[in-house]
Amino acid sequence: MSILVTGGTGYIGSHTIVELLEAGFDVIVVDNLSNSSEDVIDRIEKITGKDLSFYNIDLLNKKALDLIFHENSIEAVIHFAGYKAVGESVQLPLKYYQNNIISTLNMCEVMEKYGVYNLIFSSSATVYGYPERLPLDETCSTSALNPYGRTKLMIEEILTDLSNSNRKWRIALLRYFNPVGAHNSGLIGEKPNGTPNNLMPYITQVASGKLEKLYVFGGDYPSKDGTGVRDYIHVVDLALGHLKALKKIDILSGIEAFNLGTGIGYSVLEVIETFEEASKVKIPYEIVSRRFGDTGICYANPVKANKHLNWYAERDLFEMCKSAWDWENTREFISI
Ligand code: NAD
Ligand code: UD1
């Protein structure tokens, strides 16, 4: 029996596959390489010393997806595939609805056809919109701030309807906070297209001299230093959360949402300071006005995942910054 991982050559998927293989699972990877490259498969095989089956297919192609289920014995699906750029989703909402929603519908239809009912879905803290209260727990109200976030919310609702329709479904909605960092092998990590939008990849590119300085969005939030606060989580801890969810999926009651965060919020200035310690590089920055659509302070209450999945984030901000910096320095020079 195998675990099917969609979007498996992407940032979070690749780290999760490493943990799955190291825990002894057989893994089948599906990705259309729209935001990743095939050499990630070689890199995962190099890290783990294990083989992977890779299908370069688009999840919008339901026939091709059906064939994978026909050819393999699949016990669960971890569904990472999707587009994730907030700004682009505002410009091109149909692209996001088409890809994220239709891919998920196709996946669920094929799973149902083949009697596969275990699903782990990549959701996001973005479903909490502007936080109702802090720390955010899974009972907080949800809303969407942009089309990307709306796809996550819509998919959560679709999966809830599906679970209500048939008691066989076991679905974990994993709401990620802010994944950062990279694998300690230096072989896999995040590869942003063009100028990064997110804080950590922007900082690493300032540190390496690719970008001149960091613009800190907002110095007037109600945080200790006025800059925005987030719950950064090491991507390896996040990957391990999927492993824990998979091991517990049989005892989930239908559909369950879990926050995957550390429970600790750090301000932008604290991240800069820790990054400087980890890299020994000074980060020039300028505080500018708030970014449109940003929330000020956001961090998780991860107690549900601690208790029900027996999962705890273990890696601290220093390790996140250090691994992000190591990846920035190695990724262009390693050939497999
Ligand atoms: P990523 O872009 O690195 O990985 C997604 C992968 O999906 C890519 O390799 C891409 O080629 C593939 N893909 C996209 N559409 C596809 C399709 N139609 N068919 C087949 N493959 C397709 O992104 P990531 O950071 O690894 O994120 C994984 C998931 O987690 C996404 O659903 C994202 O929305 C969600 N998420 C990410 C973050 C984050 O900060 N990275 C935060 C919260 C939630
Ligand atoms: C972004 C997405 C969100 C997604 C999340 C995780 C936006 C508007 N939101 O949120 O939907 O779920 O990533 O992938 O893109 N910052 C700067 N300067 C920068 C970049 C960021 O000061 O150049 C600040 C931000 O204002 C924020 C913090 O750094 O306070 C983190 O920003 P970012 O990494 O973009 O994550 P989110 O804002 O949480």
Side-chain angles (χ1 to χ4, degrees):
M1 294 288 264
S2 302
I3 310 301
L4 180 72
V5 179
T6 76
T9 47
Y11 175 43
I12 305 169
S14 56
H15 288 81
T16 302
I17 292 171
V18 167
E19 299 307 325
L20 289 170
L21 292 172
E22 288 184 342
F25 287 97
D26 289 326
V27 177
I28 296 165
V29 186
V30 174
D31 204 298
N32 65 358
L33 305 178
S34 57
N35 196 35
S36 53
S37 57
E38 196 168 344
D39 74 338
V40 170
I41 298 293
D42 300 332
R43 289 164 181 254
I44 294 172
E45 288 179 342
K46 187 164 180 180
I47 294 169
T48 60
K50 299 196 173 154
D51 289 336
L52 272 176
S53 313
F54 174 58
Y55 291 84
N56 178 353
I57 68 147
D58 193 317
L59 294 180
L60 297 176
N61 181 348
K62 197 162 131 192
K63 270 196 186 147
L65 188 58
D66 190 297
L67 199 60
I68 298 175
F69 279 75
H70 185 74
E71 284 175 357
N72 297 281
S73 175
I74 293 166
E75 64 175 304
V77 174
I78 308 183
H79 181 38
F80 293 101
Y83 295 149
K84 62 169 182 176
V86 173
E88 187 187 49
S89 81
V90 175
Q91 301 303 317
L92 301 170
L94 295 180
K95 176 176 169 177
Y96 276 69
Y97 292 125
Q98 167 82 7
N99 193 54
N100 294 4
I101 308 280
I102 307 295
S103 288
T104 307
L105 293 179
N106 283 348
M107 174 56 72
C108 291
E109 281 177 356
V110 175
M111 287 176 73
E112 204 160 43
K113 176 173 168 189
Y114 286 88
V116 180
Y117 292 105
N118 295 335
L119 174 64
I120 295 176
F121 173 64
S122 296
S123 190
S124 166
T126 193
V127 300
Y128 293 115
Y130 294 114
E132 179 193 359
R133 59 175 182 273
L134 291 166
L136 284 155
D137 65 62
E138 292 81 355
T139 66
C140 284
S141 62
T142 55
S143 66
L145 301 179
N146 49 62
Y148 163 71
R150 196 160 289 112
T151 66
K152 293 295 173 193
L153 210 48
M154 287 165 92
I155 293 170
E156 286 203 357
E157 286 169 354
I158 290 167
L159 296 178
T160 303
D161 288 341
L162 192 59
S163 159
N164 290 337
S165 74
N166 183 339
R167 287 188 305 119
K168 286 185 183 157
W169 282 98
R170 292 284 173 273
I171 303 173
L173 307 172
L174 302 184
R175 294 176 175 165
Y176 313 155
F177 279 67
N178 287 61
V180 295
H183 195 262
N184 63 12
S185 61
L187 288 171
I188 52 172
E190 188 175 14
K191 270 191 180 171
N193 270 333
T195 305
N197 294 311
N198 297 117
L199 181 65
M200 191 62 86
Y202 202 104
I203 290 181
T204 61
Q205 294 201 13
V206 172
S208 65
K210 289 186 190 131
L211 296 168
E212 192 196 334
K213 65 175 164 186
L214 173 72
Y215 296 95
V216 176
F217 299 138
D220 57 352
Y221 285 114
S223 65
K224 56 185 135 174
D225 57 27
T227 64
V229 169
R230 295 291 185 275
D231 187 336
Y232 298 94
I233 172 166
H234 196 298
V235 66
V236 172
D237 277 327
L238 190 65
L240 288 165
H242 294 74
L243 195 62
K244 291 286 177 114
L246 188 62
K247 287 183 174 165
K248 297 275 180 183
I249 198 142
D250 287 337
I251 55 165
L252 290 186
S253 54
I255 185 163
E256 291 274 357
F258 295 97
N259 285 341
L260 295 187
T262 63
I264 304 168
Y266 288 105
S267 73
V268 177
L269 296 186
E270 286 174 321
V271 175
I272 295 173
E273 196 183 318
T274 308
F275 186 89
E276 288 179 340
E277 274 170 37
S279 65
K280 311 268 182 278
V281 179
K282 196 93 194 126
I283 303 297
Y285 70 86
E286 179 187 339
I287 298 182
V288 295
S289 49
R290 295 179 179 192
R291 177 169 64 180
F292 180 76
D294 255 3
T295 175
I297 304 178
C298 173
Y299 57 96
N301 174 343
V303 166
K304 187 174 174 192
N306 299 160
K307 226 168 118 182
H308 294 271
L309 303 181
N310 188 26
W311 171 85
Y312 297 83
E314 288 173 352
R315 291 157 182 81
D316 65 13
L317 186 62
F318 185 90
E319 210 171 335
M320 298 180 212
C321 292
K322 178 85 174 67
S323 66
W325 178 231
D326 290 345
W327 168 242
E328 175 70 27
N329 286 315
T330 54
R331 67 187 156 140
E332 278 159 28
F333 307 108
I334 296 174
S335 56
I336 299 292

